[in-house]
Amino acid sequence: MVSVFYSRNFSNKVLPNSAVNHNYCLEANNNIERQEIESILFRYGFNSENINKIINASPDIIKVSKENLLINLNSWLQCQFGEKQLITLILRHPNLLFVNSKRINKLYSFLLSKYTKNYTYKIFFNSPQLLMDSESTIEEKFSYLENEMMVPKAEIVNSTALGCSLYHIKERHEILKRVGIYKLPNKKAIDSVNPRLDLIMSSTDKQFANKVAGISLLEYEVFQQLFKNELED
């Protein structure tokens, strides 16, 4: 048994037989669990390269029960995004395989009642954090982005903005208004003069301050505190 450890470049120190047997059993069990998960994913259209990427990105996937994984995959399959798009979605966000199937079904139905299937897919792809939000919070985000910032739906779903908190969205918008960068778009204009939504919401504080708002990081940090105080008053 000790030779098993030597072959894996472990220390040459001889381990107690009980420790060797225990670790060997754990490794064997992990291999069995991995094979079972691989078999399930393979049946759903994932190839060996896809499966390795998923397991490397989320090693805990091999600890998920086969029953739960099957239920979860079936929920995503019922969204009818198409096999290729579903695989792309899971490869981008392997942790979607851990989401409760009831939550998947509920959010999918909610989004599909308001947006096209293509937009719904893009929302999951770009802003999977929405799975943690309530429907009312999602409504508030969409309402603010569409009515206050007047951003077209296509730009919203193609950005990561919906994955941000409503507070973050409002704060970034407000500072851009105050420094004169963000202006309400002219409905007749073909192109908006405002910075791209994704750039506004996804940039780091330093990038946002310097490259989007045109101010220093310190000035932005001062504004953040002032904005917080304003909301608390």
Side-chain angles (χ1 to χ4, degrees):
M1 285 293 186
V2 176
S3 62
V4 173
F5 287 84
Y6 291 156
S7 66
R8 296 180 181 277
N9 297 319
F10 280 77
S11 167
N12 287 334
K13 181 179 179 180
V14 177
L15 297 175
N17 285 336
S18 59
V20 174
N21 290 333
H22 175 69
N23 283 286
Y24 182 79
C25 289
L26 283 177
E27 183 178 350
N29 287 336
N30 284 339
N31 286 337
I32 292 172
E33 290 170 344
R34 178 176 177 128
Q35 289 170 6
E36 291 175 340
I37 296 301
E38 287 177 345
S39 177
I40 291 172
L41 292 174
F42 186 76
R43 294 205 305 270
Y44 280 79
F46 295 87
N47 60 34
S48 297
E49 183 180 355
N50 296 155
I51 294 170
N52 284 331
K53 285 181 179 179
I54 290 171
I55 294 176
N56 288 336
S58 298
D60 286 344
I61 188 69
I62 65 172
K63 301 297 183 182
V64 175
S65 72
K66 291 185 293 181
E67 180 183 1
N68 286 339
L69 181 59
L70 286 167
I71 291 172
N72 188 297
L73 282 166
N74 281 327
S75 291
W76 285 116
L77 201 62
Q78 288 169 13
C79 294
Q80 298 182 332
F81 292 137
E83 183 179 288
K84 184 177 180 181
Q85 285 186 297
L86 177 57
I87 290 173
T88 301
L89 177 65
I90 299 300
L91 286 175
R92 177 70 175 266
H93 306 292
N95 285 340
L96 291 178
L97 292 175
F98 297 95
V99 179
N100 183 280
S101 60
K102 291 182 180 178
R103 181 57 188 153
I104 296 170
N105 298 335
K106 187 176 182 181
L107 182 56
Y108 174 74
S109 297
F110 171 76
L111 293 174
L112 198 61
S113 69
K114 299 177 179 297
Y115 309 101
T116 65
K117 185 179 293 184
N118 183 44
Y119 276 9
T120 297
Y121 174 81
K122 288 182 177 181
I123 291 170
F124 278 123
F125 188 83
N126 293 312
S127 304
Q129 300 89 341
L130 278 190
L131 284 158
M132 307 299 292
D133 288 340
S134 65
E135 281 75 6
S136 60
T137 298
I138 297 171
E139 288 270 28
E140 286 184 273
K141 289 182 183 181
F142 266 113
S143 177
Y144 190 88
L145 291 166
E146 290 181 19
N147 301 322
E148 298 298 324
M149 296 183 70
M150 295 184 67
V151 181
K153 283 187 175 69
E155 186 175 352
I156 294 173
V157 302
N158 281 302
S159 76
T160 58
L162 291 170
C164 302
S165 69
L166 183 60
Y167 179 89
H168 178 82
I169 293 171
K170 289 181 176 181
E171 179 203 86
R172 291 265 169 118
H173 178 218
E174 187 62 29
I175 182 64
L176 291 181
K177 285 196 301 180
R178 295 190 189 187
V179 297
I181 297 292
Y182 200 95
K183 305 180 186 303
L184 286 180
N186 185 332
K187 293 184 178 181
K188 295 182 180 180
I190 298 176
D191 297 315
S192 172
V193 296
N194 293 316
R196 288 185 298 104
L197 182 62
D198 205 39
L199 184 63
I200 294 172
M201 300 302 166
S202 300
S203 301
T204 64
D205 281 357
K206 184 175 182 179
Q207 290 172 332
F208 173 75
N210 296 163
K211 297 183 179 181
V212 183
I215 58 178
S216 68
L217 177 59
L218 178 59
E219 288 173 312
Y220 180 47
E221 289 173 341
V222 170
F223 166 78
Q224 287 178 309
Q225 188 58 53
L226 290 173
F227 186 68
K228 181 180 179 181
N229 293 340
E230 288 174 9
L231 294 182
E232 291 175 349
D233 289 342

